[in-house]
Amino acid sequence: MSDKYTDSDIHLNGKLAEKLDHFWFYYKWHTLAAIFIVFVLGVCIFQSCTKAEYDVNVLYAGPYLYSASEASTVTEELNGVMPRDFNDDGEKNTGFLTYQVLNQEQMEELRKQIAEEKNRVLDTSYFSTQSELYNSALMTGEYAILLLDESLYQKLENMEGRLRKLSDVFAAVPESAFSDYGIRFCETALYKNSKQLSALPEDTVLCLARPLVMGSSSNKATYAQMTEMFVAMAKD
């Protein structure tokens, strides 16, 4: 049996397309903003329902890729400098989230290395996804303590009001500070005394994001704990 369309069907379809086109023309940005808000809220709800009970979270983004076992060791190293059991559950437990994000120069270097190897292809979609996930994580408000590749740090520093000034956190700014907002992580005691955290590139920057209106950082008490952990990680 073949489908037949009458003139009235075509007229209705045309009217619908016209209405949709009119709606999109006038409400495109409203619609995109609503979709974005729903996405961020969805991420927050998902994380709140599935995340473990961590005392504090630390996020790393940069070229280095940790294996699962290495990341587990990093967690232990971070637990070792945690000032106290923030959530009073009887143990110190740090959430450590990592994203392998490359800047353009690092991507070109990797491209050259892969070109010299056989039977290996550069998966650019993987790095695009990692970058998107990193940016999304920043907007959830769950992560204030950041270990970043210097190029990623510079982007945040250039965003007015996104990072906390070190002079607002420390009575005396650490000698490892190289800007108003960032600490050269390789100069901290934590980096020097750790097995896996010391594997991070020497230009990795430790910084503290300002609290957002959503996520854990929006809670004053929780953000104060994040700040306390940041101070412990930044000791010379």
Side-chain angles (χ1 to χ4, degrees):
M1 180 184 293
S2 61
D3 294 329
K4 294 182 179 180
Y5 298 94
T6 66
D7 291 342
S8 60
D9 291 330
I10 296 173
H11 179 71
L12 287 173
N13 289 336
K15 281 288 186 180
L16 179 61
E18 183 180 344
K19 288 181 179 179
L20 289 174
D21 185 62
H22 180 272
F23 176 85
W24 184 250
F25 181 80
Y26 286 101
Y27 299 102
K28 175 173 64 176
W29 296 115
H30 301 76
T31 303
L32 291 175
I35 292 172
F36 173 76
I37 291 172
V38 170
F39 169 75
V40 172
L41 289 176
V43 170
C44 291
I45 293 171
F46 175 79
Q47 289 184 336
S48 65
C49 293
T50 59
K51 69 181 180 180
E53 288 298 322
Y54 296 124
D55 292 88
V56 68
N57 290 307
V58 176
L59 183 150
Y60 166 72
Y64 192 80
L65 178 63
Y66 278 113
S67 68
S69 61
E70 290 171 341
S72 178
T73 301
V74 168
T75 297
E76 294 174 3
E77 292 169 349
L78 292 170
N79 293 344
V81 299
M82 190 182 298
R84 56 192 175 86
D85 177 13
F86 290 125
N87 61 11
D88 295 321
D89 66 350
E91 59 182 18
K92 297 177 181 180
N93 194 10
T94 306
F96 183 57
L97 184 66
T98 70
Y99 294 111
Q100 190 178 24
V101 182
L102 306 185
N103 59 34
Q104 187 173 354
E105 182 179 342
Q106 291 163 345
M107 183 66 78
E108 287 303 315
E109 182 63 29
L110 179 60
R111 198 184 301 274
K112 291 177 182 177
Q113 292 177 11
I114 291 179
E116 297 174 356
E117 301 177 16
K118 295 181 180 179
N119 302 321
R120 190 180 174 194
V121 178
L122 178 62
D123 184 3
T124 56
S125 63
Y126 162 78
F127 291 104
S128 296
T129 300
Q130 287 285 291
S131 180
E132 291 169 4
L133 290 173
Y134 157 68
N135 287 315
S136 296
L138 286 182
M139 292 185 288
T140 63
E142 293 294 324
Y143 304 94
I145 305 171
L146 308 175
L147 289 166
L148 302 177
D149 177 78
E150 188 169 353
S151 61
L152 296 175
Y153 163 77
Q154 293 295 344
K155 289 181 180 179
L156 284 186
E157 185 184 46
N158 291 335
M159 297 171 63
E160 186 175 354
R162 191 65 185 88
L163 295 177
R164 187 99 176 266
K165 264 196 170 184
L166 297 177
S167 58
D168 294 337
V169 178
F170 299 94
V173 175
E175 294 182 4
S176 53
F178 78 101
S179 72
D180 290 338
Y181 304 91
I183 289 173
R184 189 69 71 190
F185 187 52
C186 68
E187 297 179 13
T188 64
L190 175 59
Y191 182 95
K192 295 173 182 176
N193 297 326
S194 297
K195 177 181 178 181
Q196 291 300 336
L197 280 170
S198 61
L200 292 177
E202 292 188 353
D203 65 349
T204 300
V205 181
L206 173 64
C207 55
L208 183 67
R210 287 186 175 279
L212 298 183
V213 295
M214 62 179 69
S216 298
S217 66
S218 64
N219 182 288
K220 288 185 178 180
T222 302
Y223 186 75
Q225 294 170 354
M226 294 174 173
T227 303
E228 193 174 342
M229 180 65 172
F230 171 76
V231 170
M233 291 174 62
K235 289 183 179 178
D236 294 327

